[in-house]
């Protein structure tokens, strides 16, 4: 609720983000291929899970340096009390799916690639913000997105997409 009620210079904001960014980045880096717009949903259907579980798994597995990932959310003192987000069987189905259908992504699981990809995201967002600044459009970065005044949504989409292509060295959005 805070994000949708945030103002930038007194005007409502829009959040323009990079959808399924880490999997998309891995595909672009490894094979110069793109992913469908419904990538998470497609994987969820194929593995009998759901979008949130696919995203949770990929976030954990891309960031992990080994296969010992927690299937529980969070990492606080309450960890032992938290319920698992997914079962081991669901994790195994997701691994099998990515191994078979997206080897470019699977090959980077459990290798600590998340830090490198976050660095690339930072480069993309800096480049995006500079493009917007050249147009006198203020923006704020947040994770894999930029906030802009709602009236500049189209300019922000163009800036973030072209910045992504430049940083990733590809010619597709």
């Amino acid at each position: 609720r805070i994000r949708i009620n945030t103002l930038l210079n007194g005007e409502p904001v829009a959040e323009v983000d990079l959808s399924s960014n880490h999997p998309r980045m891995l595909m672009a880096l490894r094979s110069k291929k793109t992913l469908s717009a419904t990538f998470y949903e497609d994987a969820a259907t194929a593995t009998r899970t759901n979008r949130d579980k696919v995203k949770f798994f990929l976030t954990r597995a891309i960031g992990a340096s080994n296969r010992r990932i927690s299937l529980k959310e969070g990492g606080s003192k309450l960890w032992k009390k938290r319920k698992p987000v997914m079962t081991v069987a669901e994790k195994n189905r997701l691994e099998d799916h990515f191994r078979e259908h997206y080897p470019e992504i699977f090959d980077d699981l459990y290798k600590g690639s998340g830090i490198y990809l976050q660095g690339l995201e930072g480069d993309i967002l800096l480049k995006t913000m500079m493009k917007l600044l050249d147009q006198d459009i203020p923006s704020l970065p947040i994770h894999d997105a930029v906030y802009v005044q709602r009236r500049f949504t189209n300019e922000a989409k163009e800036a973030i997409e072209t910045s992504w292509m430049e940083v990733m060295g590809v010619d597709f959005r």
Side-chain angles (χ1 to χ4, degrees):
R1 303 292 305 156
I2 291 173
R3 287 186 184 180
I4 65 170
N5 293 312
T6 301
L7 301 177
L8 181 57
N9 292 341
E11 292 187 35
V13 299
E15 180 178 339
V16 179
D17 72 343
L18 296 162
S19 176
S20 312
N21 195 40
H22 284 186
R24 289 184 194 291
M25 293 170 94
L26 290 174
M27 288 294 284
L29 288 169
R30 304 297 177 239
S31 67
K32 303 293 185 206
K33 293 179 188 171
T34 189
L35 294 175
S36 76
T38 57
F39 169 71
Y40 285 143
E41 292 81 1
D42 297 344
T45 300
T47 59
R48 301 181 320 278
T49 59
N50 63 48
R51 183 187 193 284
D52 290 339
K53 290 180 181 188
V54 174
K55 188 171 180 179
F56 175 85
F57 167 74
L58 283 175
T59 300
R60 289 287 169 105
I62 289 170
S65 59
N66 62 53
R67 293 192 53 153
R68 295 178 51 203
I69 63 170
S70 172
L71 301 182
K72 295 181 178 183
E73 193 158 299
S76 71
K77 296 175 188 174
L78 301 174
W79 182 81
K80 289 182 181 180
K81 295 180 181 178
R82 294 186 191 265
K83 293 181 180 176
V85 172
M86 67 175 41
T87 66
V88 172
E90 289 170 324
K91 174 185 172 266
N92 291 340
R93 287 197 308 268
L94 285 162
E95 284 179 341
D96 291 344
H97 175 74
F98 290 111
R99 181 183 298 112
E100 181 179 345
H101 298 284
Y102 300 98
E104 302 89 347
I105 293 172
F106 183 80
D107 288 346
D108 270 296
L109 300 183
Y110 311 115
K111 294 183 180 173
S113 301
I115 296 294
Y116 174 67
L117 298 176
Q118 287 173 355
L120 290 176
E121 279 178 341
D123 293 344
I124 292 164
L125 291 179
L126 284 171
K127 193 175 274 285
T128 299
M129 293 172 68
M130 295 302 294
K131 288 177 186 293
L132 293 169
L133 193 59
D134 287 344
Q135 300 173 62
D136 292 324
I137 300 172
S139 63
L140 296 169
I142 181 160
H143 304 293
D144 62 351
V146 290
Y147 278 176
V148 294
Q149 293 166 323
R150 196 172 295 149
R151 62 189 165 117
F152 296 121
T153 301
N154 290 336
E155 292 87 346
K157 284 180 182 176
E158 178 64 24
I160 204 166
E161 288 176 356
T162 58
S163 296
W164 191 89
M165 291 187 300
E166 290 169 10
V167 169
M168 299 308 299
V170 297
D171 61 0
F172 55 83
R173 294 174 185 261

